[in-house]
């Protein structure tokens, strides 16, 4: 992305009170200097910016970590867990496994910014390490764990059985951590628990394709989500002329349409079947749901519900505050600050 | 693999956010790590001022009502409902179940001050006009003036008090809506909820640290359901670090 394109994006944000900007790639730290320029330029614009960055960590040196800390850039590190899982798919440019380098970086990152996120991808050939990997990342210091299945991979029934058994182990872990009053977010379970607790609100908050978030390609094209970048049929504008509202609405309408395969399904209101981004990644069609998504949802929902019932029945304070108190994050931050000042 | 529709799901026995925000008692339950941190407690109190204060009862922790059983009944006329569990019977069940779960209760009343008992309403109608009862489902019970109140049971060290809302309590606290009739409805669950949310709001005691309110489940399996209320309460006490 050129400097001009990036600055145009920042200038376009001036019509909003606050905007979140995520640097993603490929690998955004290949353009480290540009990121610094963008951050500096954003300070001249009348808008509150929240910056995030998703990185594989290979270029995340001490200086960059300090820069991120000073500028409140939340870093999400792509790390797949234990060595056996991570090194299966995470290789560097020379094809060498990256676990050792990334773990070293993770330690430094967490020391400087304890709220950094672990972005973990689970593949059929790493699913057997799922629980061990989550436990490992938590022990490493990541308390914000975003874990997703690689929906593009070739999953089969046997893999799904392993997935189920891993979710069951993870459920025990989730309950134990909550009972020990650990603060953490484990996206697969927390999102599903939320899908019950939030009720109708959850449906509204699901995939807001192109409405709340847009992705900008290096050339300045605007797309509804990261998965759509450089698919010309989903282009909804560019940084010069802005978003074409009619294209944006058309796409949103198209995505809102219930897939025929899912009408009347009892869990459709709590499921990700209507996430255009997942669908495009998994099937190449925003309205076509992948059987992997379907099976995953059917496996995970009852497990997540059991976790919620278990902790609710015990009237667990951490569970109740985390799930029901809208001020939870803020109070939690106050607690962390008060502990740090002791 | 193929896409397979789910035909039916079971009900999740966890309240939604809307339900919890309508009954703030659940939000009073805090993690122990928060309870130990004065700054957090101050933040919680100020940030949740509206919802928290309506449930606050000073130094006494009031457990939420653990719902097992519909807790409402219709009697008289042509209707034959489940038999209520009277006070004495309920006390025996509660003591026995609590003891089994590690909470030693004794059959002795304990006085607390500044309790506002709800003015319950018994809707008296002829059995032919049952539909009218539903009009009162959402009616808000008024509170009587604060006064001393004897809880039905206490723990052996006097720090835990138990109130069982029986049908007779419900009738004792009531103001009949109409006279001349052969049928009536009562809602001990609702009365228990009002006690928890508002009735004990200003309750004071030198000794009692926690109160549990149970109610007559008014169902066929009432005894089992009452035991489940006791079990949930004991879990809650443990979760609060009170036993």
């Amino acid at each position: 992305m050129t400097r001009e394109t990036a600055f145009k994006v920042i200038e376009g944000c001036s019509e909003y009170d606050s905007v979140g900007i995520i640097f993603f790639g490929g690998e955004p730290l290949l353009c480290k200097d540009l990121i610094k320029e963008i951050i500096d330029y954003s300070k001249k614009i009348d808008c509150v910016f929240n910056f995030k960055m998703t990185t594989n960590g290979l270029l995340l040196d001490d200086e960059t970590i300090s820069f991120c800390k000073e500028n409140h850039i939340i870093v999400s590190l792509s790390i797949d867990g234990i060595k056996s899982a991570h090194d299966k798919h995470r290789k560097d440019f020379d094809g060498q496994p990256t676990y050792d380098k990334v773990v070293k970086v993770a330690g430094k990152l967490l020391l400087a910014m304890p709220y950094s996120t672990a972005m973990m991808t689970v593949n059929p050939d790493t699913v057997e390490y799922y629980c061990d990997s989550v436990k490992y990342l938590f022990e490493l210091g990541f308390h914000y764990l975003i874990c997703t299945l690689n929906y593009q991979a070739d999953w089969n029934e046997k893999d799904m059985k392993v997935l189920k058994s891993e979710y069951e182990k993870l459920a025990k872990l989730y309950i134990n951590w909550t009972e020990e009053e650990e603060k953490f977010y484990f996206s697969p379970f927390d999102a599903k628990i939320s899908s019950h607790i939030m009720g109708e609100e959850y449906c509204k908050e699901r995939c807001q394709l192109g409405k709340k978030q847009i992705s900008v390609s290096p050339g300045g094209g605007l797309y509804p989500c990261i998965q759509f970048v450089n698919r010309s049929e989903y282009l909804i504008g560019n940084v010069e002329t802005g978003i074409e509202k009619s294209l944006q609405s058309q796409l949103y309408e198209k995505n809102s349409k219930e897939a025929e395969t899912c009408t009347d399904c009892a869990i459709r209101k709590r499921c990700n079947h209507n996430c255009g981004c997942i669908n495009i990644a998994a099937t190449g069609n925003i309205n076509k749901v992948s059987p992997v998504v379907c099976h995953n949802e059917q496996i995970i929902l009852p497990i997540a519900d059991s976790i919620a019932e278990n902790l609710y029945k015990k009237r667990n304070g951490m569970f109740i505050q985390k799930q029901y108190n809208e001020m939870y994050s803020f109070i939690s931050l106050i607690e962390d600050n008060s502990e740090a000042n002791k | 693999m193929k896409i397979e529709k789910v035909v039916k799901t079971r009900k999740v026995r966890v309240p939604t956010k809307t339900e919890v925000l309508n009954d703030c008692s659940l939000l009073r339950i805090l993690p122990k790590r928060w309870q130990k941190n004065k700054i957090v407690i101050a933040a919680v109190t100020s940030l949740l001022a509206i919802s928290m204060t309506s449930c606050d009862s000073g130094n006494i922790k009031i457990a939420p009502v653990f719902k097992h059983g519909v807790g409402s009944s219709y009697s008289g006329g042509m209707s034959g409902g489940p038999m209520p569990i009277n006070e004495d019977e309920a006390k025996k069940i509660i003591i026995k179940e609590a003891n089994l779960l590690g909470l030693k209760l004794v059959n002795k009343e304990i006085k607390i001050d500044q309790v506002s008992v709800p003015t319950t309403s018994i809707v008296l109608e002829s059995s032919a006009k049952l539909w009218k009862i539903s009009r009162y489902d959402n009616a808000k019970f008024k509170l009587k003036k604060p006064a001393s109140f004897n809880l039905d049971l206490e723990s052996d060290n006097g720090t835990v008090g138990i109130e069982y809302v029986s049908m007779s309590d419900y009738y004792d606290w009531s103001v009949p809506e109409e006279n001349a009739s052969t049928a009536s409805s009562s809602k001990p669950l609702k009365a228990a909820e009002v006690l928890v949310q508002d009735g004990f709001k200003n309750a004071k005691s030198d000794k009692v640290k926690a109160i549990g309110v149970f109610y007559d489940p008014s169902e066929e399996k009432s005894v089992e359901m009452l035991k489940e209320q006791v079990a949930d309460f004991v879990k809650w006490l443990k979760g609060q670090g009170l036993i």
Side-chain angles (χ1 to χ4, degrees), chain A residues 57-241:
Chain A
L58 299 181
L59 297 171
L60 196 59
D61 53 23
D62 293 350
E63 190 208 334
T64 311
I65 290 175
S66 299
F67 177 79
C68 290
K69 188 179 179 183
E70 279 164 29
N71 291 282
H72 309 290
I73 303 171
I74 296 173
V75 177
S76 299
L77 187 67
S78 301
I79 180 167
D80 291 346
I82 60 172
K83 190 174 172 63
S84 321
H86 183 91
D87 280 347
K88 276 255 167 71
H89 297 276
R90 304 275 182 190
K91 315 268 185 190
D92 65 14
F93 196 68
D94 299 323
Q96 296 302 309
T98 60
Y99 170 85
D100 294 332
K101 286 181 197 166
V102 173
V103 167
K104 205 178 274 182
V105 165
K108 289 181 180 179
L109 176 68
L110 288 164
L111 203 62
M113 293 187 284
Y115 301 113
S116 300
T117 306
M119 304 284 281
M120 179 177 150
T121 305
V122 181
N123 279 281
D125 57 358
T126 59
V127 65
E128 64 183 299
Y129 310 120
Y130 198 167
C131 183
D132 286 344
S133 291
V134 169
K135 191 165 179 278
Y136 170 73
L137 291 176
F138 182 80
E139 284 165 1
L140 204 60
F142 286 106
H143 285 197
Y144 204 86
L145 301 148
I146 307 293
C147 304
T148 50
L149 301 189
N150 177 3
Y151 291 112
Q152 289 163 301
D154 191 15
W155 293 84
N156 60 35
E157 303 268 4
K158 199 178 156 198
D159 301 326
M160 296 316 264
K161 276 187 186 161
V162 179
L163 179 64
K164 187 181 178 199
S165 117
E166 291 297 306
Y167 278 146
E168 283 163 353
K169 284 193 264 176
L170 282 161
K172 287 180 189 161
L173 207 58
Y174 187 106
I175 290 170
N176 286 344
W177 285 344
T178 309
E179 288 188 325
E180 286 162 12
E181 302 202 332
E182 294 283 1
K183 291 194 284 194
F184 67 97
Y185 180 84
F186 176 61
S187 64
F189 290 158
D190 279 308
K192 287 300 143 201
I193 292 170
S194 180
S195 74
H196 165 71
I197 287 175
M198 299 297 288
E200 289 296 316
E201 282 301 306
Y202 178 79
C203 296
K204 290 180 200 162
E205 288 296 319
R206 282 189 300 185
C207 191
Q208 295 270 321
L209 201 64
K211 278 208 162 177
K212 280 194 172 176
Q213 181 180 318
I214 53 164
S215 295
V216 187
S217 70
L222 305 181
Y223 295 87
C225 182
I226 186 170
Q227 303 290 348
F228 297 84
V229 170
N230 289 338
R231 287 175 184 258
S232 57
E233 66 271 36
Y234 296 109
L235 185 72
I236 55 169
N238 64 66
V239 289
E240 297 291 339
T241 55

Side-chain angles (χ1 to χ4, degrees), chain A residues 308-315, chain B residues 13 68 228 232 235:
Chain A
E309 286 174 338
N310 181 310
L311 292 167
Y312 173 69
K313 202 166 185 183
K314 292 171 185 159
R315 299 299 189 269
Chain B
R13 292 168 69 176
H68 294 283
E228 286 183 84
D232 282 350
K235 273 183 202 151

Side-chain angles (χ1 to χ4, degrees), chain A residues 181 196 266 298 309 315 324, chain B residues 4 13-15 33 66:
Chain A
E181 302 202 332
H196 165 71
Q298 294 192 35
E309 286 174 338
R315 299 299 189 269
Y324 295 101
Chain B
E4 290 165 18
R13 292 168 69 176
V14 174
R33 56 189 283 173
F66 300 106

